[in-house]
Every structure is written in C-alpha cells, then in structure tokens.
Amino acid sequence: MCNELVKYDPELNTIPLSKFTPIEMNLFFSIISRMRDQGNKTVSFSFEQLKELSNYKPTANKRFVDDIQRTYQKILSLSFGRRSKCGLNSEFFVMFTKFKIDGEAEDPYVDIKIYPKALHLLNDLESWVSYALTEFRDFKSSYAKTVFRLVKQFRTTGYSFFSKEDFFELLDIPKSYWNSPSDVDKNVLKPIREELTPFFRGLTVRKKYGKGRGKPVIGYSFTWKPEKKDTNDFSQGQLQDERQKLFNIQHNGELTEQEKWRATDKVKGLTLGSTEKQALADRQVEHDKTIRDQTRQEVLAELRKGFGNHA
C-alpha cells in the first residue's frame, strides 16, 4: 500500500476541513484514495486496511472506532453544493450517504458509499489534484497537510497565492491570530516551511502587504521549482527519496539553520534536536582542532625563533 495515490477534483480543495485533527485528515484522505473511480457502489474497508492506509498508530479497536466516528461527524459538517449565478438557487449535500461501522464482526470493517451528486469529486476527473498518500499522512502539522494538498494543485506552475481571508479559512487558523502576525509566523508558517521544504525544491513563503497604516498582511504566496507534468508521485526508494529531501533542505535559502536542523530530524525520523546536537558537537571538535593546530604552530614558531637566536 506504499504506492497509494490520492486523486480528486480540485473542488475538494476549496472546502475547509474545519477542526479536523491530523489523524482525522489521514483517515479522510485514506478513504478518498480508495473510493476514486468506484462510482456509487459501496466500498468496504477492513479496520486493518484503513489503519495501514492512514498509518494509524493506536492499536485498540475501541479508540479506532471513536476516531472514525469523529471523522465522519466532521465530514458531515463539510459544505458541498452548488449555487446559481443569480444567487437565488442553491443546493447542498453531504459527501457520503452510507457510513457503516461494524466493530463486532470477526473482521471489523467500515462500509462507505458516496452520494450521487458528489460522484464528480472522485470519478471521471477532467482536472485533478494528486499526490502520494504516504507523503501526506506523514506530516505532523494539520497546517502542513492542508498547504501540501493546496500547493499540489499548482504543482506544475510553481506558484500559488491565497488572500489572508482564504488562508485563514482553508487552514482553520484561530481567529485570535488575525491581528497577531508573530503567532502566524511561529505556529503556522514555521511548521509549514519545515515540513514542506523537503518535498518542494526552492520553496519560499512570502507575505503580501497592503497599503495603509502598519502595512497589514493581505495574503500569502508560495513559490517552488515547478514539477513536470509527468512527475512520478510515488516513492523512488527510501535512500533516493531521503537524499532528495535532504538536498532540498540544505539548498533552501529561506530556512534558518535551526529550521534546517529540525527539518532534517523529521526526514530522518530522529528526535527533534538530534541534528542540532550533532552539528554543534562537530563544530566543537573542529574548533578544538583549530585551537590545537594554532597552538602547535605557535610552539613551533617559538622553537624556531629560539634556535635562530641560539645560532
């Protein structure tokens, strides 16, 4: 299941996943990945299959059922629909009409069926957003997960821009951050840069400022090296993938040294702070070596000077 592809109509990216936790996002897009091109038939997921797809860590089925139920409750709150140009006619619907959880079966499972008017989101796609499920599910931050799939929509252009209003709504950023740019920088943009830089070469994040008192932030832009249309979404092998990610980190001029260290820890699966500790230790060794070399040279110089005076 390592080569599972998430692929859907771009309309799905316009729906804010309000209050979804990273675990719930993983479950939702794991379901999306397997329901593509299945029409309106019921799709069955065993608990083990869904756990593997979503990289679900807790083992107890009771907790798993609770997480699935919470995920579906939040799916029900998503606003899918259509509105006429005049604004007088509108229609709204849920994405799934059947969501049956049977945790008492010998092989516990979930049965899911898509609502007919939502079929266009996953079937016979004329345009789409696509990415590897394994990449998406491994992000720790819900902000990084959301920006990853939003940016993937523009993968071949290398640029995407979001007004401040859209950015806050799509990422479900707390309203208290609206007038606190420092909170956005620290708690939203920082984890996005750290987690997404390994996947997008030359990733930059810029704030767009408006006119007026204090030059308020009015939007956020993302740029990166455009991907080719035929770029493979799947893993090229763990070693090659890691090399590419580390290359993207080291050659990104936007990250601070500390951010590069943290990003490296995440790619390598190390405890945060490990790369920094090793880098500082290496620097200390190099510093000590330099001091020793300088001292040795000074001693030799004094000895030569002494010999010269003696002669």
Side-chain angles (χ1 to χ4, degrees), residues 163-169 173-181 183-184 217-218 220:
S163 68
K164 183 177 179 180
E165 291 79 4
D166 288 344
F167 195 68
F168 268 64
E169 182 180 12
I173 300 173
K175 293 181 180 179
S176 59
Y177 286 12
W178 186 264
N179 294 314
S180 181
D183 282 332
V184 175
V217 175
I218 60 173
Y220 301 86

Side-chain angles (χ1 to χ4, degrees), residues 72-218:
Y72 184 55
Q73 289 299 319
K74 292 180 181 179
I75 292 173
L76 288 175
S77 70
L78 301 181
S79 180
F80 296 95
R82 293 282 190 273
R83 177 174 293 179
S84 65
K85 291 183 179 180
C86 67
L88 298 178
N89 300 322
S90 57
E91 180 181 32
F92 301 96
F93 54 85
V94 295
M95 190 168 186
F96 304 123
T97 54
K98 180 179 182 179
F99 206 96
K100 177 185 176 183
I101 303 171
D102 191 338
E104 295 183 350
E106 183 176 348
D107 185 10
Y109 65 91
V110 184
D111 277 350
I112 305 173
K113 185 175 182 179
I114 194 169
Y115 185 64
K117 291 191 176 181
L119 285 171
H120 70 281
L121 296 173
L122 301 178
N123 295 268
D124 301 320
L125 302 175
E126 295 183 1
S127 61
W128 57 81
V129 180
S130 66
Y131 46 82
L133 178 61
T134 51
E135 293 182 351
F136 174 83
R137 74 185 189 188
D138 288 344
F139 294 125
K140 306 302 181 185
S141 164
S142 61
Y143 296 135
K145 286 180 181 292
T146 299
V147 171
F148 175 74
R149 60 188 180 84
L150 292 175
V151 165
K152 276 292 187 177
Q153 184 173 341
F154 305 96
R155 56 190 296 172
T156 60
T157 66
Y159 176 80
S160 60
F161 174 80
F162 307 93
S163 68
K164 183 177 179 180
E165 291 79 4
D166 288 344
F167 195 68
F168 268 64
E169 182 180 12
L170 290 170
L171 272 67
D172 195 28
I173 300 173
K175 293 181 180 179
S176 59
Y177 286 12
W178 186 264
N179 294 314
S180 181
S182 61
D183 282 332
V184 175
D185 289 345
K186 178 182 178 181
N187 300 320
V188 180
L189 300 183
K190 181 180 175 69
I192 288 173
R193 282 196 301 266
E194 287 182 3
E195 294 205 58
L196 265 60
T197 291
F199 296 89
F200 298 94
R201 185 178 298 187
L203 179 69
T204 66
V205 183
R206 293 282 186 271
K207 289 175 280 190
K208 183 177 181 180
Y209 297 93
K211 298 179 180 179
R213 186 177 181 181
K215 292 186 177 180
V217 175
I218 60 173

Side-chain angles (χ1 to χ4, degrees), residues 20-21 31 86 89 94 99 145 151 178 187 199 210 214 229 238 242 263 276 279 284 286 289 291 299:
F20 275 62
T21 66
I31 291 169
C86 67
N89 300 322
V94 295
F99 206 96
K145 286 180 181 292
V151 165
W178 186 264
N187 300 320
F199 296 89
K229 290 185 178 181
Q238 184 176 353
E242 183 173 296
E276 178 178 13
Q284 187 62 52
E286 186 63 30
K289 181 178 182 299
I291 295 299
V299 170

Side-chain angles (χ1 to χ4, degrees), residues 236-270:
Q236 303 303 305
Q238 184 176 353
L239 183 59
Q240 185 173 339
D241 287 347
E242 183 173 296
R243 284 177 176 173
Q244 183 61 59
K245 292 173 184 176
L246 294 177
F247 178 90
N248 290 346
I249 292 170
Q250 294 305 318
H251 292 81
N252 187 295
E254 300 294 308
L255 296 183
T256 65
E257 192 170 46
Q258 287 72 23
E259 288 172 337
K260 288 183 178 181
W261 287 335
R262 286 173 57 87
T264 299
D265 285 338
K266 293 175 180 178
V267 167
K268 292 185 174 182
L270 302 174

